[in-house]
Amino acid sequence: MNFSGLIENFGPLTVAGLAQGAIIALFALGYTLVYGVLRLINFAHSEVFLVGTYACLIVWGWFGLDQNSARPDFGAMLGFMALGLVAAIVVSGVVALFVELVAYRPLRRRNAPPLAFLITAIGASLAISEFVGVATHRNQRGVPPIIQAKTVITIGNTHITNLQILIVVLALVMMFILDRFINGSRLGRGIRAVAQNPDSAALMGVNKSRVISLVFLLGGLMAGIAAVMYDLKIGVTKYDAGFLLGIDAFTAAVLGGIGNLRGALVGGILLGVLQSYAAGLFGSNWLHAAAFVILVLILMFRPSGLLGESLGRARA
């Protein structure tokens, strides 16, 4: 264990963890939204994220951009960022809706037992993952240098880049928008009503199927944004990119209180920082192992999570 390295690099590890945690938090929102309404762990959500990582790369490739391209100027960078975000959001949202319509809705109509939903979720995840693997020949793809990471703030040996600030700020902004949508809009009230009591919500005229589709769509949109930020931060993507990060996102959702939107944000950022510290203390090979250890501990000692409120009762 490298305690001296952890103390010496405490600032850089914290900043790196915050950026990674912001991506995990956006990813985790899909898990917590679906669980809050359906009490279902949507394992296929990791593949919703995965297709988003490739969607932006494909769109950028249409403009001749690859990992060897020159960095665009500021105006072109904004345009390519917008195009990548739109592509990832649309594709991830469509895939999330497709999974709900094809995999889960027929089971709900038949009042299938929970085990059938669990098996279907795993099957959908494997099917999409293998489809992407075949389509990409399981090759790693580089990401075009859309944004040049530059240090904008220096505190001692801690250097904060423009990309890290962008990731954290974007995650907070999207969390705020989603929070306002859930609490302040008519559709958001429908989501909270179905999460609290589906039968009573139906008697009040809330269309349960429409609400569930909306929840999957919202989760897909957040996963698409997380996918673009992941590509820009890591610089490469491959067909199994969603698997390990999906475990991290699920851990973050449980850590914050699965079914609680603000819990997903808190859990994601906290998990990212703890993973960064674990990597500094034990080595980078322990990055994802730390998430598994935290998941086991939280399930043993506080299964309701840190915030612990369900979507139907929480203010977030």
Side-chain angles (χ1 to χ4, degrees), residues 60 67 101 147 158 187 200 217 262 277 298 310:
W60 290 333
Q67 67 269 28
L101 291 172
I147 299 179
T158 302
L187 292 174
S200 297
L217 177 61
R262 292 178 184 172
Y277 292 160
I298 199 72
S310 68

Side-chain angles (χ1 to χ4, degrees), residues 32-37 39 182-183 188 191-193 195-196 215 257-261 309-316:
T32 207
L33 278 168
V34 172
Y35 183 85
V37 173
R39 296 298 185 268
I182 294 294
N183 285 297
I191 291 174
R192 288 188 286 122
Q196 188 168 10
V215 164
I258 191 164
N260 188 310
L261 296 185
E309 292 179 297
S310 68
L311 185 64
R313 294 180 175 84
R315 287 301 301 164

Side-chain angles (χ1 to χ4, degrees), residues 106-141:
L107 296 178
R108 293 204 316 274
R109 288 174 176 170
R110 293 176 173 82
N111 292 320
L115 182 60
F117 283 91
L118 177 63
I119 295 172
T120 301
I122 297 173
S125 175
L126 291 174
I128 298 174
S129 177
E130 286 304 305
F131 174 80
V132 173
V134 171
T136 61
H137 306 289
R138 307 185 191 279
N139 293 328
Q140 181 173 283
R141 290 191 59 177

Side-chain angles (χ1 to χ4, degrees), residues 40-85:
L40 166 70
I41 303 299
N42 179 25
F43 288 106
H45 186 59
S46 58
E47 277 57 53
V48 172
F49 167 85
L50 174 63
V51 296
T53 63
Y54 280 99
C56 59
L57 293 182
I58 292 172
V59 169
W60 290 333
W62 290 346
F63 293 89
L65 297 176
D66 59 27
Q67 67 269 28
N68 299 316
S69 300
R71 290 185 176 89
D73 57 31
F74 183 74
M77 180 269 290
L78 292 178
F80 289 138
M81 273 289 297
L83 287 172
L85 284 170

Side-chain angles (χ1 to χ4, degrees), residues 32-294:
T32 207
L33 278 168
V34 172
Y35 183 85
V37 173
L38 288 178
R39 296 298 185 268
L40 166 70
I41 303 299
N42 179 25
F43 288 106
H45 186 59
S46 58
E47 277 57 53
V48 172
F49 167 85
L50 174 63
V51 296
T53 63
Y54 280 99
C56 59
L57 293 182
I58 292 172
V59 169
W60 290 333
W62 290 346
F63 293 89
L65 297 176
D66 59 27
Q67 67 269 28
N68 299 316
S69 300
R71 290 185 176 89
D73 57 31
F74 183 74
M77 180 269 290
L78 292 178
F80 289 138
M81 273 289 297
L83 287 172
L85 284 170
V86 169
I89 287 171
V90 170
V91 172
S92 291
V94 169
V95 171
L97 279 177
F98 178 80
V99 170
E100 194 277 321
L101 291 172
V102 174
Y104 298 134
R105 184 168 294 188
L107 296 178
R108 293 204 316 274
R109 288 174 176 170
R110 293 176 173 82
N111 292 320
L115 182 60
F117 283 91
L118 177 63
I119 295 172
T120 301
I122 297 173
S125 175
L126 291 174
I128 298 174
S129 177
E130 286 304 305
F131 174 80
V132 173
V134 171
T136 61
H137 306 289
R138 307 185 191 279
N139 293 328
Q140 181 173 283
R141 290 191 59 177
V143 177
I146 302 297
I147 299 179
Q148 182 179 5
K150 296 181 179 179
T151 300
V152 294
I153 301 174
T154 300
I155 305 174
N157 69 335
T158 302
H159 303 280
I160 304 174
T161 68
N162 52 350
L163 181 56
Q164 290 170 329
I165 294 174
L166 172 65
I167 292 172
V168 174
V169 170
L170 184 60
L172 293 175
V173 169
M174 296 310 303
M175 182 67 235
F176 176 78
I177 292 173
L178 183 60
D179 181 86
R180 291 300 88 208
F181 177 80
I182 294 294
N183 285 297
S185 69
R186 182 171 178 270
L187 292 174
R189 288 194 295 271
I191 291 174
R192 288 188 286 122
V194 173
Q196 188 168 10
N197 193 316
D199 296 330
S200 297
L203 291 175
M204 296 171 64
V206 177
N207 188 320
K208 180 180 176 181
S209 294
R210 185 179 300 171
V211 165
I212 292 173
S213 295
L214 175 61
V215 164
F216 274 85
L217 177 61
L218 291 173
L221 300 183
M222 297 298 110
I225 297 171
V228 176
M229 296 299 102
Y230 173 85
D231 278 350
L232 294 175
K233 180 177 182 293
I234 303 300
V236 295
T237 191
K238 53 184 179 178
Y239 81 98
D240 61 350
F243 176 70
L244 289 176
L245 200 65
I247 295 176
D248 294 344
F250 175 68
T251 302
V254 175
L255 177 61
I258 191 164
N260 188 310
L261 296 185
R262 292 178 184 172
L265 178 66
V266 171
I269 292 178
L270 180 59
L271 177 64
V273 173
L274 291 176
Q275 281 185 309
S276 187
Y277 292 160
L281 186 61
F282 301 107
S284 59
N285 292 333
W286 286 83
L287 185 69
H288 297 289
F292 181 75
V293 172
I294 293 170

Side-chain angles (χ1 to χ4, degrees), residues 5-20:
L6 174 62
I7 296 172
E8 181 180 351
N9 297 301
F10 185 81
L13 290 172
T14 301
V15 173
L18 288 173
Q20 179 70 5

